Amino acid sequence: MKKYKITLIKGDGIGPEIVDEAVKVLDAVASCSDFSFSYEEALMGGCAYDITGDPLPKETISIALNSDAVLFGAIGGEKWDALPREMRPESGLLRFRKELGVYANLRPAVVYDELINASSLKASVVKGVDLMVVRELIGGIYFGEPKGRTADKGWNTMVYTRDEIVRIAHQAFKIAMQRSKRVCSVDKANVLDVSQLWRDTVIEVAKEYPEVELSHMYVDNAAMQLIRDPRQFDVMLTGNIFGDILSDEASMLSGSIGLLPSASVGAKIGVYEPIHGSAPDIAGQGIANPIATIASASMMLRYGLDEIEAADKIDTAIKKALSEGYRTQDLAQFDAKEVCSTSEMGSIIANYIVR
Ligand code: NAD
């Protein structure tokens, strides 16, 4: 029997509550599959700073690198906001991604029929939306040199090498092969040389995926099209800063921050986490929505461990819980038949896992 070693980083705020529910669902899916999980917890964020004086202890990196995947809750909170920037929980997370070499951020945006009214857009526009933003995560303008500032001048540089574009493009095409086989590459090639290199390179990589239909879009148009007609997209492939903005925009199509998962993957290992933060305002009350984290565990199975059938089981169980009218507090106003706690929602989804 296969045994996967999973690193659990629960973090701060609602992190521990939501990760516990994802573990419950992972155990349910393992109990009817030919694999099992072992878990090791590691510290990161404010809780790590409080105990070790560092938001990202070295031990956490080695535990993660010795495992098959990382399931992550959330970090941060007001308590640590006054610390110097490099000691803040958020810088621990950025360092962690860099140390693990996770270069691709996968952010699906799915609109569940049952929650269609949670979207700020009209139901007729968002019904059936199911897209994936594939964002390059460790290059581009957030990391490019030179950068700096004087009293009255500031500058950053958007740099991509061909190799960086090739590896993220492969990631997007491989994901498209598991979906509707369409990739829209988003750039600003009409203005930026770096974007022209991006476009030329993506066209080259596409030759290895003849079944996938490739299109290109300028980022300003893409921002508009996401709101005008989001169903036209399957996989959106883009660089770091454009992806940062577009993936947040896409996440709002579903209207609920508590539902959306993400994955950050690299050559060695992936980190799977909800897109929301540590929600200190509701921490410890048992009302956080665990679905984004449970869906992140599903992404871990699908994209990290290649256990597609098990991932499908989790996704089906989430849909069933929603279609049966179970809602956590945050979604109570959207056709709830029963409002449940964080832990009840985890148990309901775990019980819907089909044996
Ligand atoms: P947030 O995402 O934590 O919360 C925004 C709002 O959404 C809050 O009202 C919160 O109660 C609600 N919310 C979030 N997740 C929810 C869930 N699962 N169920 C129900 N409601 C939920 O964003 P914020 O308030 O801007 O940030 C809080 C802290 O989280 C900050 O310290 C921030 O730096 C950190 N943060 C961490 C991450 C991460 O760990 N990856 C990401 C974003 C923000």
Side-chain angles (χ1 to χ4, degrees):
M1 191 188 249
K2 282 172 283 180
K3 188 161 190 166
Y4 296 117
K5 270 166 80 171
I6 309 298
T7 303
L8 299 178
I9 299 180
K10 297 184 177 180
D12 307 315
I14 60 170
E17 303 165 52
I18 53 180
V19 170
D20 285 349
E21 297 318 306
V23 168
K24 200 186 267 177
V25 174
L26 282 172
D27 285 339
V29 90
S31 72
C32 54
S33 307
D34 62 350
F35 57 79
S36 65
F37 294 112
S38 67
Y39 305 102
E40 183 164 10
E41 283 190 38
L43 287 173
M44 198 201 304
C47 58
Y49 176 81
D50 286 348
I51 295 171
T52 69
D54 185 347
L56 177 62
K58 281 203 177 65
E59 198 193 4
T60 294
I61 299 166
S62 63
I63 292 174
L65 287 173
N66 272 314
S67 66
D68 296 304
V70 178
L71 186 63
F72 184 91
I75 45 132
E78 229 172 67
K79 182 179 169 196
W80 303 283
D81 280 353
L83 289 171
R85 185 162 293 280
E86 66 283 4
M87 281 300 143
R88 295 210 6 210
E90 294 78 2
S91 47
L93 181 55
L94 288 183
R95 256 200 294 145
F96 185 62
R97 290 178 179 149
K98 194 90 188 166
E99 292 274 355
L100 264 53
V102 289
Y103 61 82
N105 187 231
L106 319 181
R107 289 257 303 250
V110 176
V111 175
Y112 295 101
D113 279 354
E114 296 75 17
L115 295 175
I116 203 152
N117 294 323
S119 176
S120 48
L121 296 187
K122 279 187 266 181
S124 58
V125 174
V126 292
K127 188 173 168 47
V129 163
D130 180 358
L131 63 88
M132 172 84 84
V133 179
V134 177
R135 165 190 168 195
E136 201 289 327
L137 199 58
I138 56 176
I141 197 165
Y142 294 161
F143 295 93
E145 297 284 352
K147 65 180 175 192
R149 67 159 288 178
T150 59
D152 34 43
K153 189 173 168 187
W155 61 99
N156 293 83
T157 310
M158 190 187 281
V159 189
Y160 271 116
T161 63
R162 193 177 171 280
D163 287 352
E164 285 174 324
I165 303 166
V166 166
R167 68 181 180 183
I168 189 76
H170 276 296
Q171 191 66 246
F173 284 107
K174 282 183 187 144
I175 288 169
M177 288 297 289
Q178 289 187 31
R179 298 172 49 97
S180 303
K181 301 198 172 83
R182 285 178 295 126
V183 169
C184 176
S185 173
V186 176
D187 60 37
K188 192 70 184 167
N190 50 345
V191 179
L192 302 173
D193 292 331
V194 57
S195 277
Q196 191 59 57
L197 175 72
W198 179 281
R199 190 175 283 218
D200 295 345
T201 309
V202 172
I203 290 171
E204 252 178 77
V205 173
K207 291 180 186 146
E208 295 180 44
Y209 302 87
E211 285 176 56
V212 178
E213 180 193 314
L214 171 66
S215 59
H216 304 273
M217 203 176 267
Y218 297 134
V219 61
D220 41 348
N221 186 27
M224 191 175 76
Q225 295 295 334
L226 259 180
I227 299 297
R228 195 188 70 82
D229 177 20
R231 274 189 302 261
Q232 69 184 286
F233 296 109
D234 177 22
V235 173
M236 297 179 90
L237 161 64
T238 189
N240 204 344
I241 188 169
F242 299 156
D244 192 2
I245 298 162
L246 292 178
S247 58
D248 266 18
E249 187 187 349
S251 68
M252 277 301 101
L253 296 171
S254 90
S256 170
I257 197 164
L259 292 177
L260 294 167
S262 77
S264 304
V265 301
K268 286 188 291 238
I269 192 167
V271 181
Y272 301 85
E273 57 180 307
I275 68 158
H276 59 72
S278 58
D281 52 333
I282 58 166
Q285 298 175 32
I287 57 171
N289 190 339
I291 292 183
T293 316
I294 295 170
S296 302
S298 162
M299 289 188 85
M300 178 178 91
L301 289 165
R302 189 180 303 282
Y303 299 111
L305 308 177
D306 209 23
E307 297 288 355
I308 313 284
E309 204 181 303
D312 287 344
K313 282 184 182 176
I314 296 183
D315 292 349
T316 305
I318 293 173
K319 281 200 187 108
K320 175 118 169 107
L322 293 173
S323 68
E324 294 290 321
Y326 292 106
R327 305 277 187 270
T328 38
Q329 197 75 58
D330 52 317
L331 297 173
Q333 73 270 41
F334 301 110
D335 304 321
K337 289 205 191 81
E338 194 174 322
V339 177
C340 49
S341 69
T342 308
S343 137
E344 283 163 350
M345 181 59 100
S347 301
I348 288 160
I349 294 171
N351 289 334
Y352 281 143
I353 299 285
V354 186
R355 265 145 233 290

